[in-house]
Every structure is written in C-alpha cells, then in structure tokens.
Amino acid sequence: LQSTKMYDSSFLLLLLSAFLQHKPTTSFVHPRAFNVHSPIKSLHLTRETEVARKTITSLHSTDCPLPGTAKIDGDWSDLGFEFLPTKSHIKMTYKDGAWGPLEFVDEPYIKLHIGATSLHYGQACFEGLKAFAHEDDSVYIFRPDENAKRLQSSCERTMMPVVPHATFIEACKAVVTDNMAYVPPYGSNGALYLRPLMFGSGPRIGLQPADEYTFLILAIPVGDYYKGGLNPTAAMVIEDYDRAAPRGVGNVKVAGNYVADLLPNMLAKKQGFPIGLYLDSATQTKIEEFSTSNFIGIDNANKKYVTPISSSVLPSITNKSLMDIAKDEGMTVEQRDISVSELATFDECIACGTAVVVTPIGKIVKGDDIYKFSEETGETTMKLYNRVRDIQNGKEEDKFGWNVKVC
C-alpha cells in the first residue's frame, strides 16, 4: 500500500469490510458488548443482533438461577417501594418504521436527544406488573397479557408505535430471568416489580410524533407501597385539583397523569393523609379514583362490590382480577357512577392497584364530612387480598389462568 500510495479512505474501508466478512467468528458477542459508535463493530451489528435476539427470546427457558440470591441491603421482608439497582434492564428501539432487537443494558442511564418529544411534549407512557416466586422456586408473572393490551391502548392514544403483544411478553420473561436473583424469595411478601416504559426519543421541536421511540423494562424488587401493609389508612378528597378531564387521557397510563397528582398528593400528606381521592372534574359529585389506585366500595349486607365507571379512570388490572374473585365468592359486582354521599353506605373501602395490591381505607375526609369504615382490615377486604396473593404466590390453584411461567 505504501509503495503504490493506494491508501485513500474508500479503499481502506473496502479492504476492511472484505477482511471482516472472511474472518471466522466462533464466539457470541452479547448485546451488552455492542458499541454503536464503533464503525468496525457496526459492520457486524446485523448478524450479531440476530444471535442476540434468539438468545434473549430463549433465555427464560434455558437459564434459570434461583430467586432471592442477590445481595441486598437489609432483609427481603423489609423491602419498600423504591428504586433499587439490579443486574439489568431491557431495551428496544423503534426507528425507520420498525422495531430493532431486544438488548440487555447494565447501566441505569439513558442518552437522550435534547429535542426528544418525551421531554418537550410528554409523549411517554408506562406500565406496572409483578413477578412472584413460588414455593418450588419457580417464578411467574401476573397477567402480563393485560399489561400488553393496556400499553397498546396508551401507545395508540399518544401516537406511538405499538409494541407487539408477543414481544412484550417475551421481553418481560427475559428481564425477569436476567434479574432472577433479585426476585424476592417465596414467603418474603415481596415481588419483582416490572416497569415497562415507552417514550419518544426522536427530536421534534414542532408538535408532532417523534421519528424514534425507546421501549424499556426496568426490574426492581419491592415490598409494600404503603408502609404498614394492610393497616387501614386515612384518605382525603382532593377538592382544589383534578387528576384528569372527561375525554382526556385519564383512561390510559401516560406520564402526565401522575405529575398532576404530585402537588395535591404532597399537600394531603402534610395534613396527615397518605392517599388522596379524586372526584369527577365536571361536577365534583362522583367518585373517580385514588391518587394511584382504583376505588372499591364494599357493601357487606347486600354482598356488593362497587367500583366507578368513568372514561377518566385508568382500568386497573388488579381491580379486574378482584372483580373476578368477588364474583367467584358470590358477590354482585357493580361498575357504575358512585356519588360522594354513597360513601356512607359502604362497610369497607379499598384502594387497589399493581403497586399497592390492596390498601384498606379506614376513613375518607371531605371538608367537615368524615366517612368512617372498618377500623380494622375488613373481612371482605382480607378475603379478596388473600385470594389474589395466594394465586400470585402459587398457594391457590390458578383457576383463572392468570400466571405466566418464566421458569
């Protein structure tokens, strides 16, 4: 090359490409080793990500370490509901009209364009679901198919590409398997919380959908959302703020729904109320939902399970599960409008959701009005809670087919 002076960049690139194509590859390069900024490795990206995709897809069935073997600060039974570092999260990028491969990422950081639509216009949504260890150390995810459908609904409402149903399920299984050591062990009352997150990562300064999207799933070991577990807590009706508006986005799980609750939630806590209850924004007369949970009223005398129906309320997968269990217990389930005055007719009141599962409400305060329920965790509340938790933990037969096995 030096003697002929033929070392211009195009010739060198051609020579390098030919060398790489004929170089034997005998080892698998894990997606964590990919460096998209390296021009040499990017030439092999397509072939190696094909191997990575197959490996991630089959990982849950071929490599199953024991749950609860990671070293954490404190005891598994003392976990709260907060971020804890784990082994990895999983990532997938939508670009040029198609989804790329799933990849494991060790670092809990994102490199994001300053013009990303998620930053400027809130084009982001998320989900929440849990994986549980059973007595034989097998691990199951609770109803991921429902989360897949709800995420699709959120994506459609916010003009983001839908994550294929099967891909969502496989991604959940893969991230649980890679973080299996962080699944709280059977009997600890904990779970591995999965937080699928979808956001516009492509730059747009004018209001329009992004040209690139990022899908992630975090995996975090958690305990009870509210400290104290099933001890009844006090709630306050939020009267100065609204959570969502009719015909808005209250019925999908977008990030903006939750930031709207930060200020009223903090104000309620300063007054001694760990949880707030929102009314309908149009009339302020009908119950909608708690800050991060659905509302359930229990009328034991008439064996009724009553929960609001509203286009502004997020359809809770936990509530849907509890409704099925209530029907199985012989209760009448009613989804309908609930007036504030009807609070006086309920014997028990429940806040329910993936994070809290079930939180009994001891009283609800609205101005000078106080609606009191059972001072102890009610019998119906406890029965519903025990049954759903027993199904999640493998203690009760899963007659509804809700648990999806990871390994």
Side-chain angles (χ1 to χ4, degrees):
L1 286 177
Q2 288 182 348
S3 62
T4 59
K5 304 297 184 182
M6 296 175 59
Y7 49 89
D8 63 283
S9 58
S10 60
F11 177 79
L12 289 175
L13 183 60
L14 180 62
L15 184 62
L16 177 61
S17 177
F19 170 76
L20 289 174
Q21 288 177 6
H22 288 86
K23 183 179 180 180
T25 301
T26 58
S27 61
F28 164 65
V29 179
H30 196 279
R32 292 195 185 100
F34 293 157
N35 179 358
V36 297
H37 301 292
S38 167
I40 295 177
K41 287 188 178 180
S42 67
L43 292 175
H44 264 241
L45 189 62
T46 302
R47 181 174 61 174
E48 292 176 344
T49 50
E50 280 297 325
V51 177
R53 186 184 296 113
K54 292 176 183 176
T55 300
I56 289 176
T57 301
S58 61
L59 182 60
H60 62 271
S61 61
T62 60
D63 183 14
C64 289
L66 291 176
T69 55
K71 292 182 179 180
I72 63 170
D73 292 334
D75 192 83
W76 289 105
S77 60
D78 294 330
L79 288 171
F81 197 89
E82 57 190 10
F83 181 83
L84 290 175
T86 52
K87 182 181 178 182
S88 66
H89 66 270
I90 208 164
K91 176 183 177 181
M92 183 170 67
T93 304
Y94 181 92
K95 196 171 184 179
D96 298 326
W99 284 106
L102 291 166
E103 297 179 300
F104 287 124
V105 182
D106 293 336
E107 294 294 327
Y109 301 103
I110 300 169
K111 185 175 181 180
L112 189 61
H113 195 288
I114 59 172
T117 57
S118 55
L119 299 178
H120 295 263
Y121 301 114
Q123 195 181 25
C125 62
F126 67 98
E127 273 300 320
L129 63 163
K130 289 178 176 177
F132 299 87
H134 290 191
E135 190 172 12
D136 62 357
D137 286 329
S138 61
V139 173
Y140 291 78
I141 305 174
F142 188 69
R143 308 198 73 172
D145 55 318
E146 290 294 329
N147 293 94
K149 289 185 283 188
R150 194 169 64 179
L151 181 69
Q152 290 167 5
S153 177
S154 297
C155 289
E156 289 168 355
R157 179 63 179 84
T158 53
M159 295 193 70
M160 293 193 285
V162 168
V163 176
H165 193 98
T167 303
F168 181 91
I169 303 297
E170 288 302 319
C172 289
K173 290 181 177 180
V175 78
V176 171
T177 302
D178 203 46
N179 292 277
M180 186 65 70
Y182 290 92
V183 177
Y186 177 81
S188 66
N189 204 37
L192 187 70
Y193 180 73
L194 306 184
R195 170 62 65 83
L197 172 65
M198 175 92 159
F199 59 91
S201 48
R204 291 282 194 245
I205 298 304
L207 179 58
Q208 57 182 307
D211 60 352
E212 177 188 296
Y213 295 89
T214 300
F215 172 68
L216 308 172
I217 304 181
L218 292 69
I220 308 163
V222 298
D224 291 325
Y225 189 87
Y226 296 110
K227 291 295 185 183
L230 284 184
N231 293 324
T233 190
M236 183 181 79
V237 173
I238 306 297
E239 299 187 78
D240 298 327
Y241 300 90
D242 292 322
R243 174 190 166 273
R247 300 188 296 275
V249 291
N251 63 335
V252 290
K253 205 169 178 67
V254 297
N257 287 348
Y258 295 83
V259 72
D261 180 55
L262 284 177
L263 177 59
N265 185 269
M266 289 301 107
L267 292 174
K269 286 180 177 178
K270 286 182 179 180
Q271 297 179 60
F273 299 96
I275 187 170
L277 177 63
Y278 286 93
L279 307 179
D280 71 296
S281 60
T283 70
Q284 292 290 300
T285 62
K286 294 178 288 187
I287 293 169
E288 292 227 312
E289 65 179 322
F290 291 106
S291 298
T292 58
S293 314
N294 274 189
F295 173 96
I296 302 168
I298 301 296
D299 178 353
N300 284 319
N302 296 296
K303 296 195 70 175
K304 287 185 178 182
Y305 177 117
V306 187
T307 192
I309 187 167
S310 168
S311 61
S312 301
V313 171
L314 181 72
S316 163
I317 296 165
T318 304
N319 195 2
K320 185 176 182 178
S321 305
L322 292 172
M323 283 190 273
D324 286 340
I325 291 173
K327 291 175 185 176
D328 196 54
E329 291 288 336
M331 300 183 71
T332 299
V333 173
E334 296 179 353
Q335 286 183 278
R336 58 174 175 80
D337 290 339
I338 305 173
S339 65
V340 174
S341 60
E342 198 174 347
L343 286 172
T345 68
F346 296 130
D347 305 300
E348 302 174 35
C349 181
I350 302 169
C352 78
T354 299
V356 301
V357 185
V358 161
T359 296
I361 305 298
K363 66 178 180 180
I364 295 176
V365 176
K366 182 181 184 295
D368 295 330
D369 297 324
I370 301 177
Y371 300 92
K372 293 185 177 181
F373 309 102
S374 176
E375 294 183 1
E376 303 293 332
T377 301
E379 180 180 350
T380 301
T381 300
M382 184 62 73
K383 182 181 292 183
L384 293 172
Y385 172 79
N386 284 337
R387 283 204 61 187
V388 73
R389 293 292 281 121
D390 284 350
I391 292 172
Q392 291 173 334
N393 289 319
K395 293 181 179 180
E396 178 180 327
E397 179 189 359
D398 181 17
K399 62 188 291 184
F400 303 100
W402 291 337
N403 291 327
V404 174
K405 189 172 184 178
V406 177
C407 63

